Amino acid sequence: MNKRKLVAGNWKMNGRREWVDSLVRGVRQALTEQPYDVDVAFCPPFPYLFDVGAALSGTALKLGAQDCSERTDGAFTGDISATMLRDMACDYVIIGHSERREFHGETNQLIASKMVAAHKAGLTVIVCVGEKDAKMDATTRNAIVKEQIRQSLCDSADAQNTIIAYEPVWAIGSGLTPTNDDIVTMHGLIAGFLPLSVKGARILYGGSVKADNAATILQLPGVDGALVGGASLKKDDFIKIIAGAG
Ligand code: 13P
């Protein structure tokens, strides 16, 4: 089972072509000079997949997308199929991010359908789960995350093609994080709750992972990597986060 840590940068709806040089090639160069025993993925917006993929070509750095359609190719204007993402050399696709759930009304059922499509195309999914409210008591929080996992995992999910990202919604972009104890507890709960076929899958933490807290969070038991938003847009910060996982 591959338990190398994964640090994935989710650019969200940010980016310009010039970033490929300043950010992607910069990270690539830094990791060539100082490699770490960590899987690294860039998840830019769709229009930049080609350029980022070209900049990563010939390296061990991976490309990912931020979403895919649940449908296969056809008359679905504006949608992007998982097959296309694979064709663009993506290895990963993020699905079920809380911003998709909130701004596009995505349900666990839809996310499960997207997972089927992604697995069929040969992609590894990073499926996001997490409670909305920081003040939620532990029982409610645990029940919500369990239900998200139960409903969004499809039958084709296994420990290789599926990665869980625990992203408490209140921690995203806020500069707030759960306590270390709460992260360890939640990751343990998720690991214990995964169905047999998915047992051992990597469980990432996401939500305000920064250069200064990454090493602590990434070395907590049960944390197999990080899904990084804002700090993945800054070369030096992203490199420090990768170093924290190494
Ligand atoms: P931030 O790292 O900006 O909090 O975003 C986390 C996230 O949503 C990654 O998917």
Side-chain angles (χ1 to χ4, degrees):
M1 184 111 5
N2 181 1
K3 277 287 205 173
R4 245 164 80 104
K5 289 192 202 296
L6 168 66
V7 174
N10 174 11
W11 290 13
K12 308 193 178 186
M13 198 170 72
N14 296 294
R16 290 291 180 268
R17 292 189 90 177
E18 68 200 47
W19 291 23
V20 174
D21 272 329
S22 59
L23 177 59
V24 183
R25 289 188 202 278
V27 171
R28 174 186 167 157
Q29 181 61 30
L31 294 179
T32 306
E33 286 160 17
Q34 171 62 65
Y36 297 97
D37 192 20
V38 175
D39 290 333
V40 175
F42 291 81
C43 304
F46 294 129
Y48 305 120
L49 284 174
F50 180 82
D51 286 343
V52 173
L56 301 180
S57 153
T59 75
L61 307 175
K62 304 288 189 203
L63 185 64
Q66 299 174 17
D67 183 40
C68 68
S69 172
E70 74 279 20
R71 300 189 168 96
T72 45
D73 302 314
F76 304 108
T77 304
D79 286 345
I80 308 276
S81 74
T83 317
M84 291 171 184
L85 298 178
R86 191 69 193 128
D87 196 32
M88 293 299 290
C90 286
D91 283 296
Y92 297 103
V93 62
I94 299 168
I95 56 172
H97 192 282
S98 62
E99 288 148 17
R100 300 290 315 170
R101 293 175 188 263
E102 182 179 352
F103 301 125
H104 296 269
E106 295 200 0
T107 61
N108 291 325
Q109 287 70 24
L110 177 65
I111 292 156
S113 310
K114 291 185 175 203
M115 195 182 288
V116 172
H119 287 158
K120 265 195 198 146
L123 295 168
T124 297
V125 301
I126 302 173
V127 58
C128 303
V129 296
E131 79 282 0
K132 277 196 183 147
D133 186 353
K135 294 190 195 73
M136 221 168 240
D137 64 85
T139 312
T140 316
R141 176 169 73 214
N142 295 350
I144 285 171
V145 171
K146 276 185 175 179
E147 197 55 15
Q148 286 175 329
I149 292 177
R150 197 178 63 75
Q151 293 189 13
S152 23
L153 285 181
C154 64
D155 289 347
S156 56
D158 64 34
Q160 295 300 334
N161 66 16
T162 303
I163 295 169
I164 314 290
Y166 170 54
E167 296 208 311
V169 180
W170 54 270
I172 295 175
S174 64
L176 304 171
T177 56
T179 64
N180 292 342
D181 282 352
D182 281 349
I183 295 176
V184 172
T185 304
M186 181 56 87
H187 279 235
L189 181 98
I190 294 171
F193 183 68
L194 290 177
L196 210 54
S197 58
V198 192
K199 279 265 183 280
R202 287 189 281 187
I203 304 170
L204 314 184
Y205 169 78
S208 293
V209 175
K210 305 287 179 201
D212 59 1
N213 64 13
T216 306
I217 293 174
L218 281 158
Q219 298 305 328
L220 292 173
V223 175
D224 303 313
L227 187 54
V228 185
S232 74
L233 307 176
K234 296 176 204 136
K235 185 190 85 176
D236 293 344
D237 290 22
F238 196 47
I239 290 164
K240 277 192 194 127
I241 293 170
I242 295 164

